Amino acid sequence: MGERPGRPAMRRALVVRGGWEGHVPVEATGLFVPELAAAGFEVTVADDLEVYADGPLLAGTDLIVQCWTGGVLTAEQEAGLVSAVRAGTGFAGWHGGLVATFDGSHDYLRMVGGLFLHHPADFLTYDVVIDPAHAGHPIVAGLDDFTVETEQYWMLTDAHNEVLASTRFVSPETPMPVVWTRRWGRGKVFFSAVGHRLEDLRHPTVYELTRRGLIWAGR
């Protein structure tokens, strides 16, 4: 049955979740599935990385939200995912679900723009500062700087990222991006480093910028 005349086709979102259970992938993604639906996405959930080898499915997907910490992508899965994003499928997620995973998949890491290296053993209270140069970006527009108490990620990143918010490590004193976007071919990528626990994602500012980031990344 076709779309009703005058009614725009629904966009399609694919939520891929699994890996290390410490990042509660089912519960964490469950926070945002209703938001995606409210934004006009038809949402499909996959608990298996083999979905990335399904070329026709990915070609018809406007947004992939991934929460998968650890694990290994096969060459076919990596190629399928990276090719889909290059062709225009959005890719988005948070914390270890994007940057503490698939560390042997170099094309994947180049696409995401960062790799987790370290966090202090204890949770830290730290400030996240919106970059004034990007304060008008739709992901952070109208949001204030904020404070969280959680893991503070030290990451390798590259200059292709558009950093919307950052923090500063105390020892050694080092600035570190927290929220970034980037383009990969025709696809948009969104990442936020905050999201170790459900409590982190429920922080009002973190929740709002994450919600906006997921929707922004969609084609």
Side-chain angles (χ1 to χ4, degrees), residues 19-50:
W20 183 56
E21 289 295 330
H23 283 156
V24 290
V26 173
E27 296 85 349
T29 54
L31 290 176
F32 297 102
V33 167
E35 298 286 3
L36 295 175
F41 287 94
E42 179 183 337
V43 182
T44 300
V45 176
D47 301 302
D48 190 323
L49 294 174
E50 188 59 21

PDB file of all heavy atoms in Angstrom, residues 19-50:
ATOM      1  N   GLY A  19      26.689  -5.821  22.614  1.00  0.00           N
ATOM      2  CA  GLY A  19      28.037  -5.723  23.164  1.00  0.00           C
ATOM      3  C   GLY A  19      28.041  -5.762  24.672  1.00  0.00           C
ATOM      4  O   GLY A  19      27.175  -6.387  25.302  1.00  0.00           O
ATOM      5  N   TRP A  20      28.999  -5.059  25.281  1.00  0.00           N
ATOM      6  CA  TRP A  20      29.169  -5.092  26.732  1.00  0.00           C
ATOM      7  C   TRP A  20      27.924  -4.572  27.437  1.00  0.00           C
ATOM      8  O   TRP A  20      27.451  -3.461  27.176  1.00  0.00           O
ATOM      9  CB  TRP A  20      30.380  -4.240  27.119  1.00  0.00           C
ATOM     10  CG  TRP A  20      30.704  -4.262  28.582  1.00  0.00           C
ATOM     11  CD1 TRP A  20      30.960  -5.347  29.348  1.00  0.00           C
ATOM     12  CD2 TRP A  20      30.797  -3.119  29.443  1.00  0.00           C
ATOM     13  NE1 TRP A  20      31.217  -4.954  30.646  1.00  0.00           N
ATOM     14  CE2 TRP A  20      31.124  -3.598  30.729  1.00  0.00           C
ATOM     15  CE3 TRP A  20      30.643  -1.746  29.239  1.00  0.00           C
ATOM     16  CZ2 TRP A  20      31.301  -2.752  31.814  1.00  0.00           C
ATOM     17  CZ3 TRP A  20      30.821  -0.902  30.318  1.00  0.00           C
ATOM     18  CH2 TRP A  20      31.146  -1.404  31.586  1.00  0.00           C
ATOM     19  N   GLU A  21      27.408  -5.393  28.360  1.00  0.00           N
ATOM     20  CA  GLU A  21      26.152  -5.042  29.028  1.00  0.00           C
ATOM     21  C   GLU A  21      26.301  -3.927  30.053  1.00  0.00           C
ATOM     22  O   GLU A  21      25.300  -3.353  30.499  1.00  0.00           O
ATOM     23  CB  GLU A  21      25.559  -6.284  29.709  1.00  0.00           C
ATOM     24  CG  GLU A  21      25.018  -7.314  28.738  1.00  0.00           C
ATOM     25  CD  GLU A  21      23.829  -6.789  27.940  1.00  0.00           C
ATOM     26  OE1 GLU A  21      23.083  -5.942  28.473  1.00  0.00           O
ATOM     27  OE2 GLU A  21      23.662  -7.205  26.792  1.00  0.00           O
ATOM     28  N   GLY A  22      27.545  -3.586  30.428  1.00  0.00           N
ATOM     29  CA  GLY A  22      27.738  -2.526  31.412  1.00  0.00           C
ATOM     30  C   GLY A  22      27.226  -1.176  30.954  1.00  0.00           C
ATOM     31  O   GLY A  22      26.929  -0.314  31.788  1.00  0.00           O
ATOM     32  N   HIS A  23      27.112  -0.996  29.651  1.00  0.00           N
ATOM     33  CA  HIS A  23      26.558   0.254  29.121  1.00  0.00           C
ATOM     34  C   HIS A  23      25.060   0.149  28.830  1.00  0.00           C
ATOM     35  O   HIS A  23      24.516   0.999  28.108  1.00  0.00           O
ATOM     36  CB  HIS A  23      27.319   0.688  27.863  1.00  0.00           C
ATOM     37  CG  HIS A  23      28.649   1.299  28.137  1.00  0.00           C
ATOM     38  ND1 HIS A  23      29.682   1.329  27.220  1.00  0.00           N
ATOM     39  CD2 HIS A  23      29.139   1.921  29.257  1.00  0.00           C
ATOM     40  CE1 HIS A  23      30.732   1.935  27.751  1.00  0.00           C
ATOM     41  NE2 HIS A  23      30.431   2.301  28.990  1.00  0.00           N
ATOM     42  N   VAL A  24      24.437  -0.853  29.385  1.00  0.00           N
ATOM     43  CA  VAL A  24      22.982  -1.080  29.299  1.00  0.00           C
ATOM     44  C   VAL A  24      22.417  -0.676  27.929  1.00  0.00           C
ATOM     45  O   VAL A  24      21.577   0.224  27.831  1.00  0.00           O
ATOM     46  CB  VAL A  24      22.223  -0.355  30.450  1.00  0.00           C
ATOM     47  CG1 VAL A  24      22.518  -1.034  31.772  1.00  0.00           C
ATOM     48  CG2 VAL A  24      22.582   1.125  30.545  1.00  0.00           C
ATOM     49  N   PRO A  25      22.868  -1.336  26.861  1.00  0.00           N
ATOM     50  CA  PRO A  25      22.468  -0.897  25.521  1.00  0.00           C
ATOM     51  C   PRO A  25      20.973  -0.948  25.259  1.00  0.00           C
ATOM     52  O   PRO A  25      20.446  -0.085  24.553  1.00  0.00           O
ATOM     53  CB  PRO A  25      23.240  -1.854  24.598  1.00  0.00           C
ATOM     54  CG  PRO A  25      23.576  -3.044  25.453  1.00  0.00           C
ATOM     55  CD  PRO A  25      23.781  -2.494  26.821  1.00  0.00           C
ATOM     56  N   VAL A  26      20.293  -1.944  25.819  1.00  0.00           N
ATOM     57  CA  VAL A  26      18.847  -2.039  25.574  1.00  0.00           C
ATOM     58  C   VAL A  26      18.123  -0.890  26.260  1.00  0.00           C
ATOM     59  O   VAL A  26      17.310  -0.178  25.658  1.00  0.00           O
ATOM     60  CB  VAL A  26      18.315  -3.398  26.058  1.00  0.00           C
ATOM     61  CG1 VAL A  26      16.784  -3.430  25.977  1.00  0.00           C
ATOM     62  CG2 VAL A  26      18.911  -4.528  25.220  1.00  0.00           C
ATOM     63  N   GLU A  27      18.431  -0.684  27.533  1.00  0.00           N
ATOM     64  CA  GLU A  27      17.750   0.368  28.291  1.00  0.00           C
ATOM     65  C   GLU A  27      18.132   1.755  27.782  1.00  0.00           C
ATOM     66  O   GLU A  27      17.285   2.655  27.706  1.00  0.00           O
ATOM     67  CB  GLU A  27      18.087   0.250  29.773  1.00  0.00           C
ATOM     68  CG  GLU A  27      17.587  -1.032  30.427  1.00  0.00           C
ATOM     69  CD  GLU A  27      18.538  -2.205  30.268  1.00  0.00           C
ATOM     70  OE1 GLU A  27      19.501  -2.108  29.468  1.00  0.00           O
ATOM     71  OE2 GLU A  27      18.318  -3.238  30.937  1.00  0.00           O
ATOM     72  N   ALA A  28      19.405   1.940  27.428  1.00  0.00           N
ATOM     73  CA  ALA A  28      19.858   3.260  26.976  1.00  0.00           C
ATOM     74  C   ALA A  28      19.206   3.646  25.660  1.00  0.00           C
ATOM     75  O   ALA A  28      18.693   4.765  25.508  1.00  0.00           O
ATOM     76  CB  ALA A  28      21.377   3.269  26.849  1.00  0.00           C
ATOM     77  N   THR A  29      19.216   2.749  24.695  1.00  0.00           N
ATOM     78  CA  THR A  29      18.566   3.081  23.425  1.00  0.00           C
ATOM     79  C   THR A  29      17.060   3.208  23.593  1.00  0.00           C
ATOM     80  O   THR A  29      16.420   3.984  22.890  1.00  0.00           O
ATOM     81  CB  THR A  29      18.887   2.024  22.354  1.00  0.00           C
ATOM     82  OG1 THR A  29      18.535   0.722  22.844  1.00  0.00           O
ATOM     83  CG2 THR A  29      20.364   2.047  21.978  1.00  0.00           C
ATOM     84  N   GLY A  30      16.521   2.464  24.565  1.00  0.00           N
ATOM     85  CA  GLY A  30      15.081   2.551  24.816  1.00  0.00           C
ATOM     86  C   GLY A  30      14.627   3.941  25.233  1.00  0.00           C
ATOM     87  O   GLY A  30      13.469   4.298  25.033  1.00  0.00           O
ATOM     88  N   LEU A  31      15.553   4.741  25.782  1.00  0.00           N
ATOM     89  CA  LEU A  31      15.200   6.110  26.152  1.00  0.00           C
ATOM     90  C   LEU A  31      14.850   6.946  24.931  1.00  0.00           C
ATOM     91  O   LEU A  31      14.034   7.874  25.006  1.00  0.00           O
ATOM     92  CB  LEU A  31      16.368   6.785  26.880  1.00  0.00           C
ATOM     93  CG  LEU A  31      16.722   6.302  28.284  1.00  0.00           C
ATOM     94  CD1 LEU A  31      17.960   7.045  28.777  1.00  0.00           C
ATOM     95  CD2 LEU A  31      15.564   6.520  29.244  1.00  0.00           C
ATOM     96  N   PHE A  32      15.479   6.622  23.786  1.00  0.00           N
ATOM     97  CA  PHE A  32      15.378   7.502  22.619  1.00  0.00           C
ATOM     98  C   PHE A  32      14.523   6.944  21.491  1.00  0.00           C
ATOM     99  O   PHE A  32      14.205   7.689  20.562  1.00  0.00           O
ATOM    100  CB  PHE A  32      16.779   7.836  22.115  1.00  0.00           C
ATOM    101  CG  PHE A  32      17.595   8.594  23.120  1.00  0.00           C
ATOM    102  CD1 PHE A  32      18.571   7.956  23.864  1.00  0.00           C
ATOM    103  CD2 PHE A  32      17.355   9.942  23.348  1.00  0.00           C
ATOM    104  CE1 PHE A  32      19.311   8.649  24.809  1.00  0.00           C
ATOM    105  CE2 PHE A  32      18.075  10.647  24.297  1.00  0.00           C
ATOM    106  CZ  PHE A  32      19.057   9.998  25.032  1.00  0.00           C
ATOM    107  N   VAL A  33      14.152   5.683  21.562  1.00  0.00           N
ATOM    108  CA  VAL A  33      13.275   5.133  20.514  1.00  0.00           C
ATOM    109  C   VAL A  33      11.969   5.916  20.413  1.00  0.00           C
ATOM    110  O   VAL A  33      11.536   6.277  19.305  1.00  0.00           O
ATOM    111  CB  VAL A  33      13.022   3.631  20.748  1.00  0.00           C
ATOM    112  CG1 VAL A  33      11.878   3.127  19.866  1.00  0.00           C
ATOM    113  CG2 VAL A  33      14.294   2.838  20.458  1.00  0.00           C
ATOM    114  N   PRO A  34      11.306   6.251  21.525  1.00  0.00           N
ATOM    115  CA  PRO A  34      10.083   7.062  21.407  1.00  0.00           C
ATOM    116  C   PRO A  34      10.343   8.443  20.807  1.00  0.00           C
ATOM    117  O   PRO A  34       9.493   8.975  20.081  1.00  0.00           O
ATOM    118  CB  PRO A  34       9.580   7.171  22.856  1.00  0.00           C
ATOM    119  CG  PRO A  34      10.194   6.019  23.570  1.00  0.00           C
ATOM    120  CD  PRO A  34      11.529   5.832  22.931  1.00  0.00           C
ATOM    121  N   GLU A  35      11.506   9.026  21.083  1.00  0.00           N
ATOM    122  CA  GLU A  35      11.839  10.333  20.514  1.00  0.00           C
ATOM    123  C   GLU A  35      12.015  10.238  18.998  1.00  0.00           C
ATOM    124  O   GLU A  35      11.607  11.135  18.254  1.00  0.00           O
ATOM    125  CB  GLU A  35      13.112  10.884  21.159  1.00  0.00           C
ATOM    126  CG  GLU A  35      13.010  11.129  22.648  1.00  0.00           C
ATOM    127  CD  GLU A  35      12.172  12.357  23.001  1.00  0.00           C
ATOM    128  OE1 GLU A  35      11.605  12.998  22.082  1.00  0.00           O
ATOM    129  OE2 GLU A  35      12.084  12.684  24.192  1.00  0.00           O
ATOM    130  N   LEU A  36      12.627   9.158  18.549  1.00  0.00           N
ATOM    131  CA  LEU A  36      12.786   8.961  17.110  1.00  0.00           C
ATOM    132  C   LEU A  36      11.432   8.794  16.439  1.00  0.00           C
ATOM    133  O   LEU A  36      11.171   9.365  15.374  1.00  0.00           O
ATOM    134  CB  LEU A  36      13.673   7.751  16.836  1.00  0.00           C
ATOM    135  CG  LEU A  36      15.129   7.848  17.301  1.00  0.00           C
ATOM    136  CD1 LEU A  36      15.836   6.520  17.076  1.00  0.00           C
ATOM    137  CD2 LEU A  36      15.857   8.961  16.578  1.00  0.00           C
ATOM    138  N   ALA A  37      10.568   8.010  17.071  1.00  0.00           N
ATOM    139  CA  ALA A  37       9.230   7.820  16.512  1.00  0.00           C
ATOM    140  C   ALA A  37       8.464   9.129  16.467  1.00  0.00           C
ATOM    141  O   ALA A  37       7.782   9.440  15.480  1.00  0.00           O
ATOM    142  CB  ALA A  37       8.465   6.776  17.337  1.00  0.00           C
ATOM    143  N   ALA A  38       8.598   9.943  17.517  1.00  0.00           N
ATOM    144  CA  ALA A  38       7.906  11.232  17.558  1.00  0.00           C
ATOM    145  C   ALA A  38       8.430  12.183  16.486  1.00  0.00           C
ATOM    146  O   ALA A  38       7.710  13.074  16.026  1.00  0.00           O
ATOM    147  CB  ALA A  38       8.056  11.868  18.938  1.00  0.00           C
ATOM    148  N   ALA A  39       9.696  11.984  16.083  1.00  0.00           N
ATOM    149  CA  ALA A  39      10.296  12.827  15.050  1.00  0.00           C
ATOM    150  C   ALA A  39       9.987  12.324  13.638  1.00  0.00           C
ATOM    151  O   ALA A  39      10.483  12.890  12.665  1.00  0.00           O
ATOM    152  CB  ALA A  39      11.803  12.912  15.254  1.00  0.00           C
ATOM    153  N   GLY A  40       9.196  11.261  13.542  1.00  0.00           N
ATOM    154  CA  GLY A  40       8.768  10.791  12.230  1.00  0.00           C
ATOM    155  C   GLY A  40       9.567   9.639  11.663  1.00  0.00           C
ATOM    156  O   GLY A  40       9.465   9.352  10.463  1.00  0.00           O
ATOM    157  N   PHE A  41      10.340   8.954  12.505  1.00  0.00           N
ATOM    158  CA  PHE A  41      11.094   7.791  12.047  1.00  0.00           C
ATOM    159  C   PHE A  41      10.323   6.504  12.312  1.00  0.00           C
ATOM    160  O   PHE A  41       9.732   6.337  13.390  1.00  0.00           O
ATOM    161  CB  PHE A  41      12.437   7.688  12.761  1.00  0.00           C
ATOM    162  CG  PHE A  41      13.467   8.694  12.330  1.00  0.00           C
ATOM    163  CD1 PHE A  41      13.608   9.892  13.026  1.00  0.00           C
ATOM    164  CD2 PHE A  41      14.277   8.443  11.245  1.00  0.00           C
ATOM    165  CE1 PHE A  41      14.557  10.828  12.638  1.00  0.00           C
ATOM    166  CE2 PHE A  41      15.235   9.375  10.851  1.00  0.00           C
ATOM    167  CZ  PHE A  41      15.368  10.570  11.542  1.00  0.00           C
ATOM    168  N   GLU A  42      10.341   5.618  11.354  1.00  0.00           N
ATOM    169  CA  GLU A  42       9.917   4.242  11.575  1.00  0.00           C
ATOM    170  C   GLU A  42      11.130   3.499  12.098  1.00  0.00           C
ATOM    171  O   GLU A  42      12.162   3.416  11.420  1.00  0.00           O
ATOM    172  CB  GLU A  42       9.430   3.623  10.267  1.00  0.00           C
ATOM    173  CG  GLU A  42       8.989   2.177  10.387  1.00  0.00           C
ATOM    174  CD  GLU A  42       8.580   1.595   9.045  1.00  0.00           C
ATOM    175  OE1 GLU A  42       8.216   2.375   8.138  1.00  0.00           O
ATOM    176  OE2 GLU A  42       8.643   0.363   8.905  1.00  0.00           O
ATOM    177  N   VAL A  43      11.050   2.959  13.313  1.00  0.00           N
ATOM    178  CA  VAL A  43      12.229   2.443  14.005  1.00  0.00           C
ATOM    179  C   VAL A  43      12.270   0.917  13.958  1.00  0.00           C
ATOM    180  O   VAL A  43      11.294   0.242  14.289  1.00  0.00           O
ATOM    181  CB  VAL A  43      12.253   2.905  15.478  1.00  0.00           C
ATOM    182  CG1 VAL A  43      13.509   2.392  16.175  1.00  0.00           C
ATOM    183  CG2 VAL A  43      12.182   4.430  15.561  1.00  0.00           C
ATOM    184  N   THR A  44      13.422   0.391  13.556  1.00  0.00           N
ATOM    185  CA  THR A  44      13.711  -1.039  13.607  1.00  0.00           C
ATOM    186  C   THR A  44      14.881  -1.243  14.551  1.00  0.00           C
ATOM    187  O   THR A  44      15.825  -0.447  14.557  1.00  0.00           O
ATOM    188  CB  THR A  44      14.085  -1.572  12.207  1.00  0.00           C
ATOM    189  OG1 THR A  44      12.996  -1.345  11.317  1.00  0.00           O
ATOM    190  CG2 THR A  44      14.399  -3.056  12.255  1.00  0.00           C
ATOM    191  N   VAL A  45      14.825  -2.297  15.358  1.00  0.00           N
ATOM    192  CA  VAL A  45      15.885  -2.582  16.320  1.00  0.00           C
ATOM    193  C   VAL A  45      16.586  -3.875  15.911  1.00  0.00           C
ATOM    194  O   VAL A  45      15.934  -4.865  15.574  1.00  0.00           O
ATOM    195  CB  VAL A  45      15.323  -2.718  17.747  1.00  0.00           C
ATOM    196  CG1 VAL A  45      16.420  -3.125  18.727  1.00  0.00           C
ATOM    197  CG2 VAL A  45      14.672  -1.407  18.185  1.00  0.00           C
ATOM    198  N   ALA A  46      17.918  -3.857  15.933  1.00  0.00           N
ATOM    199  CA  ALA A  46      18.709  -5.046  15.624  1.00  0.00           C
ATOM    200  C   ALA A  46      19.659  -5.330  16.776  1.00  0.00           C
ATOM    201  O   ALA A  46      20.293  -4.423  17.309  1.00  0.00           O
ATOM    202  CB  ALA A  46      19.503  -4.839  14.340  1.00  0.00           C
ATOM    203  N   ASP A  47      19.762  -6.599  17.138  1.00  0.00           N
ATOM    204  CA  ASP A  47      20.658  -7.028  18.208  1.00  0.00           C
ATOM    205  C   ASP A  47      21.790  -7.890  17.661  1.00  0.00           C
ATOM    206  O   ASP A  47      22.397  -8.665  18.400  1.00  0.00           O
ATOM    207  CB  ASP A  47      19.874  -7.814  19.266  1.00  0.00           C
ATOM    208  CG  ASP A  47      18.753  -6.995  19.869  1.00  0.00           C
ATOM    209  OD1 ASP A  47      19.059  -5.926  20.415  1.00  0.00           O
ATOM    210  OD2 ASP A  47      17.585  -7.407  19.769  1.00  0.00           O
ATOM    211  N   ASP A  48      22.087  -7.742  16.372  1.00  0.00           N
ATOM    212  CA  ASP A  48      23.102  -8.543  15.698  1.00  0.00           C
ATOM    213  C   ASP A  48      23.825  -7.654  14.690  1.00  0.00           C
ATOM    214  O   ASP A  48      23.185  -6.970  13.889  1.00  0.00           O
ATOM    215  CB  ASP A  48      22.431  -9.721  14.990  1.00  0.00           C
ATOM    216  CG  ASP A  48      23.422 -10.750  14.474  1.00  0.00           C
ATOM    217  OD1 ASP A  48      24.505 -10.356  14.003  1.00  0.00           O
ATOM    218  OD2 ASP A  48      23.113 -11.948  14.517  1.00  0.00           O
ATOM    219  N   LEU A  49      25.137  -7.683  14.696  1.00  0.00           N
ATOM    220  CA  LEU A  49      25.915  -6.839  13.786  1.00  0.00           C
ATOM    221  C   LEU A  49      25.803  -7.270  12.335  1.00  0.00           C
ATOM    222  O   LEU A  49      26.190  -6.519  11.434  1.00  0.00           O
ATOM    223  CB  LEU A  49      27.387  -6.847  14.214  1.00  0.00           C
ATOM    224  CG  LEU A  49      27.690  -6.204  15.563  1.00  0.00           C
ATOM    225  CD1 LEU A  49      29.153  -6.414  15.935  1.00  0.00           C
ATOM    226  CD2 LEU A  49      27.349  -4.718  15.555  1.00  0.00           C
ATOM    227  N   GLU A  50      25.260  -8.434  12.085  1.00  0.00           N
ATOM    228  CA  GLU A  50      25.125  -8.897  10.705  1.00  0.00           C
ATOM    229  C   GLU A  50      24.203  -7.992   9.900  1.00  0.00           C
ATOM    230  O   GLU A  50      24.230  -7.990   8.673  1.00  0.00           O
ATOM    231  CB  GLU A  50      24.606 -10.346  10.682  1.00  0.00           C
ATOM    232  CG  GLU A  50      24.616 -11.002   9.316  1.00  0.00           C
ATOM    233  CD  GLU A  50      26.003 -11.061   8.661  1.00  0.00           C
ATOM    234  OE1 GLU A  50      27.018 -10.971   9.391  1.00  0.00           O
ATOM    235  OE2 GLU A  50      26.055 -11.182   7.419  1.00  0.00           O
TER     236      GLU A  50
END
